[in-house]
Amino acid sequence: MSVTTEGMKAKELLAYYQAKADQDARDAKARGDLVCWSASVAPPEFCVTMGIAMVYPETHAAGIGAKKGALDMLEVADRKGYSIDCCSYGRVNMGYMELLKEQAITGKTPEVLANSPAAKVPLPDLVITCNNICNTLLKWYENLAVELDIPCIVIDVPFNHTMPIPEYAKSYIADQFRNAISQLEVICGRPFDYKKFQEVREQTQRSVYQWNRIAKMSHYKPSPLNCFDLFNYMALIVACRSLDYAEITFKKFADELEENLKAGVYAFKGAEKTRVTWEGIAVWPYLGHTFKSLKALGTIMTGSAYPGLWDLSYDAHDESLHSMAEAYTRIYINTCLENKVNVLLNIVNNGQCDGIVYHLNRSCKLMSFLNVETAEIIKEKTGLPYVQFDGDQTDPRNFAPAQFDTRVQALAEMMEANMAE
Amino acid sequence: MSKVETILKQFADVAANPKKAMDDYTAETGKGAVGILPYYAPEELVHATGYLPMGIWGGNKSISKARTYLPAFACSIMQQVMELQCEGAYDDLKAVIISVPCDTLKCLSQKWKGTSPVIVFTHPQNRGLEAANQFLVQEYKILKTKLEKILGVTITNADIEASIKVYNENRAIMREFVKVAADYPQVIDPIARHAVFKARMFMEKSKHTALVKELLEEIKAMPIEPWTGKKVIVTGILAEPNGLLEIFKEFGLAIVDDDLAQESRQIRVDVLDGEEGPLYRLAKVWQNMYGCSLATDTKKVRGKMLMNKVAQTDADAVIVAMMKFCDPEEWDYPVYYRQFEEKGIKSLMIEVDQEAQSFEQIKTRIQSFVENM
Ligand code: SF4
Ligand code: SF4
C-alpha cells in the first residue's frame, strides 16, 4: 500500500480510490494510452491485463445522478433522439459522451459539461460490453462504438432459461474470452500477457473475497452493516475489482465491521426495529431520502441482491476459462425465474429480513417485469410482506418521495404487526 | 370481384381470423398448432412436425388483465400478448416457443399465464463467431427434443430439409411480392400488403406460397401505371392496426419496401444449402441476419441498409413505425436518424400502439409530413 493511504479509514479509502481510478484514466489518456469504457459486470480481466485504463459508464452515471446532475445529460440525449424509455444510465452516458465528443471536435468545453458535477472521465478508445445484466447494454454499446467509430468487444452470456448452466454455454463464453484476447492483441498491437492475466484473475478473486466478507456482515442481528453502504462501496467492486484498490478498501471495511461487531457497535446503534431486503437498483438522486425514510421507521436494509451481482468467484487457475465463464453468466437476473427467486430468497433469509421492498424501475425492464411473480412466490414461501414503489435509478423525474414514504411506512406497519403476532 | 380482389380477400380473411385458420388446419390434418412468439424462432422445425406454426404478434385489445402482470412501460405488443394470455386465447396451442433477444422477452418467457407448455431458447449475440453457431445448434437441438416430446412425434433430418425448402420458397416469393407491391401500389395498397404478410403467419407456408404466386401472376399481367402519390419505406417492429395503414392509404403513401420485424425481416435471410446438417444451417440464418435491432451489430448497418432501400426503390421518405416502449428499437433510432439527416433522407417517426382505436394525432402528422415532402 502506498504511504498516502496508510491509516485511512475504509470510507476515506473508498473516496481516495474512486478518485484515483478516474485520475488513472485521465493520466492514461494524457500519455496517449488506451482507455476503455466498460459495462459494469463485463469482465475487466482482459483489458486490465493489457494495462488499459477502465471507465464504467453505469457507475459514472450513478455518480452524476447522486450529485443531481442527471437532468442536463438526459436533456442532451433527448435532443439526439433518445426516448425516455431507454435506460437512464444509458441516456446520461450518451449525453455525456456527446458533450465530450463536441469538446474533442471543437476544442471548446460545452457549458453544460463545464458546469456538470460529473467526475471528469476521458473518451474511450474502445468499449467492452456484456449482457449478463441486460441486453440494453448491447444496444447502448453498439451506439457508443458507432458514434465514436471505435472497436467494441462483446461478451455475450446467453440468458439461462434452464438451470444449471449448460456446458455448451460455458464453451461459447470461453471462446468469446479467447476472441476478446485476440481482438485486444490487434487493438494494442502487442501480444497478450498470459502471466499477467493469471495475476489479474487472482487479484480479482481477492477483491471478490473481501467484497463477500462485507456482504455477510448484514447477516448478524442486530447488524453492524446497513446495506445502503454497499450501494456506495459498489463503485469499487464495479470499477476496480481487478486492481488492488478494491481489495484494500473492502478488507479495511470488513475489518472495521468485524471490530464493530465484536465491540457491539451496530449500524442503528442496535435500534433496528425491522429489517428489509431491497430488490433492485438504488434511486441515486434520492439515495439520502430513501435511506432516511427507512431509518426514521427503524427499518434497516440487511438484504440486497444487487451488490451480489459482483460475487464473481471463480477458479483463477482454470485454464479452460469455463469457471470464469460461469461466474459471469450466472448473475441471478440472467437466469430463469426459479433460480432468480432462490437467490433472492437466500438473501432474504440470510439477512433475517422481515419484509421486502421492490423497486419498479422505469429504466430497467429486466429488473422490473418479473417483480410481481418474484414477490408472490417469495411471499408464499416466507409469508413476509412486501411493497413496491415506482422509481428510476438516475432519472429523478420518475421517483416520487411521497409515494415511497407511504409505501415503506405501510411495509413497516405490516412487518411490525407480523412480529407482534 | 376480380381474381386479384378475390385472392386479396382470402389473405385478409386469414389475417383477420387466425383462430379460424387454426381450426380449419386442425380439422383438415388432425393436428394442431404451435405458437411462435417474435422473434426468429426456427419455424421450420415446427413445420417439420406437421403442426401449424402460428405467429403470436399481439392484437388490438384494450388492456385490462395484463395490468396486473406488466407495468405500463412494457411494450405495446407484449401488453397485448399478456392480455390475450390472461384471456386464454392461446390455450389451444400445443406449445409456445419464445426467444429472448430483448429484456422484455427474457421476462415474458418466465411468466406465461396460459396453459400451453412453453419452450424457451436463447439466440447468441456475438454473432460473428463460429462458437455462436455451435451454441445455437445446441439450443435448437434441445428445442427440437422438447417439441418431439410435447407433440409425440419424431423429427427427422429429411423432414427438416423438406420444411427448409418450403420456407425458402416462401421467402423468395415474398421478396418478389414486395417488389411487385412496389410496382403496383394501385393494386396492393398498404392494408392489402400487410394482409399478405400477416396471413403468412397463420397459413401453412406452401399453401401461402401457392396463393401468393397466383396473386403475382395476375398482377404482373397488368400494366404498370405511374404512381402520383409518395413512396415510403417503413421500418420498425410492425405497422398495425389497419386503422394506422388507412392513413397511409388516405394520403397516397405507397409502401415500396419495409424493414418491419413482422414482415420483411422474416424473409430477409434464407437457409443456405451446404454440407452441414439442417440444424447448423438453420443456426447460420441468425448469423447472417442484419439490420435488425435484436441482432447485435457493433457496426450498426441498419441505417445504411435503409438508405440503400431508399435508393433502390426511389422512395421519398422513411416512416419509422416506433413500437411504443420498445427499447431495442428506440436505441437504434438516434443513430440512423443522424445518418438520415447527414444524407438528407426524410423521415417521420410515428408511434405504434396496438391498443389504439383512434389515430387523429398520427393522421395530422402524416398529413403535414406529406404536404411538406
Ligand atoms: S439499469 Fe437495467 S437496463 Fe440499465 S444498464 Fe442497468 S441493468 Fe441494464
Ligand atoms: S423487441 Fe421491442 S416490441 Fe419486441 S418484445 Fe422486445 S421490447 Fe417488445
Side-chain angles (χ1 to χ4, degrees):
Chain A
M1 199 192 292
S2 69
V3 193
T4 44
T5 56
E6 225 161 284
M8 276 191 190
K9 286 223 167 17
K11 227 180 168 167
E12 293 162 317
L13 286 170
L14 172 66
Y16 173 80
Y17 281 120
Q18 245 186 302
K20 186 163 163 44
D22 289 341
Q23 187 61 43
D24 289 349
R26 290 190 296 266
D27 291 348
K29 197 72 176 182
R31 284 195 307 271
D33 288 345
L34 296 178
V35 173
C36 178
W37 283 11
S38 169
S40 64
V41 203
E45 286 86 342
F46 309 106
C47 288
V48 169
T49 297
M50 285 308 230
I52 296 171
M54 306 299 284
V55 170
Y56 289 81
E58 288 150 82
T59 305
H60 188 243
I64 296 175
K67 290 182 200 144
K68 317 258 184 254
L71 283 175
D72 282 346
M73 299 299 141
L74 293 171
E75 157 74 8
V76 178
D78 189 55
R79 274 206 307 277
K80 293 284 170 188
Y82 286 93
S83 156
I84 54 160
D85 304 332
C86 298
C87 163
S88 58
Y89 275 166
R91 280 183 293 136
V92 165
N93 182 244
M94 292 312 289
Y96 187 79
M97 181 279 283
E98 289 290 348
L99 294 171
L100 282 188
K101 196 170 146 187
E102 188 183 325
Q103 183 185 37
I105 294 169
T106 63
K108 279 190 233 126
T109 305
E111 216 180 294
V112 216
L113 185 59
N115 298 334
S116 172
K120 302 276 171 282
V121 296
L123 276 175
D125 304 288
L126 70 152
V127 291
I128 178 168
T129 192
C130 178
N131 54 345
N132 48 11
I133 49 173
C134 65
N135 275 21
T136 298
L137 280 159
L138 296 172
K139 301 307 296 174
W140 169 2
Y141 278 64
E142 279 180 1
N143 287 18
L144 283 174
V146 170
E147 298 297 24
L148 294 167
D149 193 18
I150 54 175
C152 178
I153 297 175
V154 175
I155 304 293
D156 167 40
V157 293
F159 180 67
N160 295 295
H161 50 75
T162 312
M163 290 294 275
I165 296 154
E167 274 309 309
Y168 66 87
K170 293 182 212 166
S171 303
Y172 167 48
I173 299 163
D175 255 10
Q176 294 178 76
F177 289 165
R178 286 184 279 273
N179 188 62
I181 290 172
S182 66
Q183 271 179 286
L184 281 172
E185 289 183 329
V186 174
I187 294 167
C188 300
R190 63 193 142 83
F192 192 70
D193 182 343
Y194 284 90
K195 192 162 159 277
K196 175 94 188 287
F197 181 47
Q198 180 65 47
E199 289 161 18
V200 170
R201 281 181 290 166
E202 285 166 13
Q203 174 61 63
T204 309
Q205 289 311 302
R206 288 196 299 273
S207 301
V208 168
Y209 171 78
Q210 297 296 345
W211 176 246
N212 289 342
R213 260 184 79 206
I214 302 174
K216 285 195 192 91
M217 297 310 289
S218 69
H219 299 175
Y220 295 97
K221 198 169 177 176
S223 173
L225 169 71
N226 183 342
C227 287
F228 265 98
D229 280 335
L230 289 180
F231 284 153
N232 291 320
Y233 281 83
M234 236 171 62
L236 284 187
I237 191 70
V238 171
C240 303
R241 63 181 175 273
S242 291
L243 304 174
D244 64 359
Y245 302 4
E247 183 196 357
I248 293 166
T249 309
F250 298 158
K251 180 175 183 309
K252 180 81 194 163
F253 190 35
D255 289 349
E256 285 174 8
L257 289 167
E258 268 172 19
E259 278 161 33
N260 286 347
L261 183 67
K262 260 190 233 145
V265 178
Y266 304 109
F268 279 10
K269 304 202 168 70
E272 50 173 65
K273 277 205 267 179
T274 48
R275 299 160 66 102
V276 292
T277 289
W278 173 295
E279 170 58 353
I281 310 180
V283 184
W284 297 111
Y286 287 96
L287 192 67
H289 180 91
T290 49
F291 168 77
K292 282 183 207 141
S293 293
L294 286 168
K295 189 164 182 196
L297 296 164
T299 301
I300 185 169
M301 193 208 300
T302 54
S304 173
Y306 189 50
L309 298 184
W310 289 271
D311 171 13
L312 297 159
S313 335
Y314 58 77
D315 175 1
H317 296 271
D318 165 29
E319 293 312 322
S320 76
L321 301 182
H322 279 214
S323 171
M324 184 173 160
E326 205 225 320
Y328 277 97
T329 190
R330 69 170 175 241
I331 312 294
Y332 80 120
I333 46 177
N334 196 43
T335 63
C336 61
L337 179 62
E338 193 190 346
N339 186 67
K340 183 187 171 207
V341 165
N342 286 341
V343 170
L344 198 59
L345 207 52
N346 258 332
I347 284 167
V348 174
N349 289 337
N350 287 337
Q352 305 193 53
C353 297
D354 309 303
I356 301 129
V357 182
Y358 291 88
H359 180 181
L360 187 71
N361 188 336
R362 179 69 177 74
S363 263
C364 189
K365 295 178 164 66
L366 195 64
M367 285 200 234
S368 294
F369 289 179
L370 286 171
N371 277 9
V372 183
E373 287 75 13
T374 309
E376 282 303 319
I377 302 173
I378 292 196
K379 171 133 205 243
E380 201 179 294
K381 293 199 179 201
T382 62
L384 297 177
Y386 68 89
V387 287
Q388 174 164 262
F389 69 93
D390 299 304
D392 191 299
Q393 82 276 4
T394 25
D395 191 334
R397 294 165 296 192
N398 295 328
F399 176 83
Q403 190 217 45
F404 179 82
D405 293 354
T406 321
R407 299 277 160 93
V408 292
Q409 219 158 1
L411 180 66
E413 281 162 23
M414 289 188 277
M415 292 189 293
E416 281 166 31
N418 259 1
M419 291 161 93
E421 264 171 27
Chain B
M1 219 187 250
S2 72
K3 181 136 188 234
V4 169
E5 282 166 342
T6 313
I7 300 174
L8 287 178
K9 187 172 178 309
Q10 270 177 275
F11 284 121
D13 287 346
V14 175
N17 199 345
K19 174 91 172 82
K20 181 169 182 303
M22 182 173 96
D23 292 344
D24 289 352
Y25 184 86
T26 310
E28 194 183 313
T29 61
K31 290 179 172 172
V34 172
I36 314 268
L37 262 83
Y39 302 86
Y40 310 118
E43 235 186 85
E44 288 87 340
L45 292 182
V46 176
H47 187 269
T49 65
Y51 283 73
L52 180 68
M54 291 279 286
I56 293 182
W57 292 75
N60 184 209
K61 306 228 99 185
S62 86
I63 301 295
S64 67
K65 298 189 186 75
R67 295 254 178 270
T68 315
Y69 303 109
L70 279 178
F73 57 92
C75 62
S76 169
I77 179 171
M78 288 307 145
Q79 301 275 6
Q80 293 287 328
V81 171
M82 182 52 81
E83 187 69 25
L84 287 157
Q85 276 174 50
C86 295
E87 286 184 352
Y90 305 126
D91 288 351
D92 286 340
L93 297 168
K94 301 289 178 241
V96 171
I97 301 180
I98 310 184
S99 68
V100 292
C102 71
D103 295 334
T104 301
L105 279 167
K106 286 184 200 173
C107 295
L108 259 286
S109 77
Q110 301 300 306
K111 56 190 280 175
W112 187 258
K113 308 294 174 196
T115 54
S116 316
V118 170
I119 306 175
V120 186
F121 76 99
T122 309
H123 286 106
Q125 290 290 355
N126 210 339
R127 297 182 307 124
L129 303 182
E130 177 52 25
N133 296 332
Q134 299 299 345
F135 171 83
L136 193 51
V137 167
Q138 294 304 322
E139 288 285 289
Y140 284 178
K141 265 191 195 156
I142 294 170
L143 194 160
K144 175 173 162 273
T145 310
K146 287 184 180 165
L147 264 180
E148 288 176 327
K149 203 162 154 223
I150 293 168
L151 302 177
V153 296
T154 310
I155 308 173
T156 65
N157 276 354
D159 295 334
I160 306 174
E161 293 294 359
S163 295
I164 287 177
K165 199 155 162 266
V166 168
Y167 272 71
N168 276 350
E169 273 167 13
N170 183 262
R171 282 184 281 256
I173 199 82
M174 285 307 287
R175 290 193 291 265
E176 192 186 339
F177 167 76
V178 168
K179 292 212 174 76
V180 172
D183 286 341
Y184 296 86
Q186 294 88 347
V187 185
I188 310 276
D189 65 33
I191 296 173
R193 188 185 182 282
H194 175 56
V196 175
F197 265 107
K198 190 158 186 179
R200 184 180 177 271
M201 304 188 309
F202 312 131
M203 286 171 80
E204 190 281 314
K205 292 290 185 291
S206 62
K207 290 224 163 99
H208 184 262
T209 305
L211 200 57
V212 177
K213 250 190 201 151
E214 228 181 287
L215 176 70
L216 296 188
E217 271 160 28
E218 288 295 316
I219 298 178
K220 285 199 293 194
M222 301 166 147
I224 294 183
E225 288 174 22
W227 179 246
T228 50
K230 299 288 177 195
K231 297 176 178 179
V232 295
I233 310 260
V234 186
T235 186
I237 298 294
L238 50 74
E240 279 186 355
N242 278 346
L244 179 70
L245 295 170
E246 285 287 356
I247 305 170
F248 282 62
K249 213 171 138 177
E250 187 181 338
F251 293 103
L253 293 181
I255 299 177
V256 291
D257 200 350
D258 78 273
D259 165 47
L260 296 171
Q262 195 191 32
E263 302 189 0
S264 281
R265 287 186 202 169
Q266 300 277 323
I267 55 164
R268 187 166 290 158
V269 182
D270 282 333
V271 182
L272 299 179
D273 288 341
E275 297 298 309
E276 303 91 348
L279 290 187
Y280 180 84
R281 281 161 34 239
L282 281 168
K284 283 281 271 190
V285 171
W286 176 242
Q287 182 169 60
N288 293 336
M289 184 61 195
Y290 60 92
C292 170
S293 57
L294 298 158
T296 300
D297 172 14
T298 58
K299 299 272 183 276
K300 284 192 105 83
V301 299
R302 183 170 174 189
K304 208 189 254 172
M305 176 195 77
L306 288 169
M307 290 191 281
N308 283 342
K309 282 186 187 294
V310 168
Q312 281 156 10
T313 57
D314 203 18
D316 299 288
V318 176
I319 305 275
V320 180
M322 184 59 80
M323 173 64 68
K324 196 175 175 187
F325 296 122
C326 169
D327 52 329
E329 285 287 315
E330 286 165 341
W331 273 103
D332 274 3
Y333 177 75
V335 174
Y336 65 74
Y337 176 72
R338 173 184 60 71
Q339 293 165 338
F340 289 171
E341 291 290 292
E342 284 166 6
K343 293 279 190 299
I345 306 267
K346 291 195 184 64
S347 70
L348 175 73
M349 177 160 73
I350 53 173
E351 186 181 73
V352 172
D353 182 353
Q354 283 193 309
E355 192 183 4
Q357 299 296 340
S358 103
F359 304 92
E360 284 316 309
Q361 217 194 346
I362 295 181
K363 195 166 164 176
T364 317
R365 297 193 58 222
I366 291 189
Q367 183 171 17
S368 72
F369 184 67
V370 172
E371 281 165 4
N372 290 326
M373 257 200 275

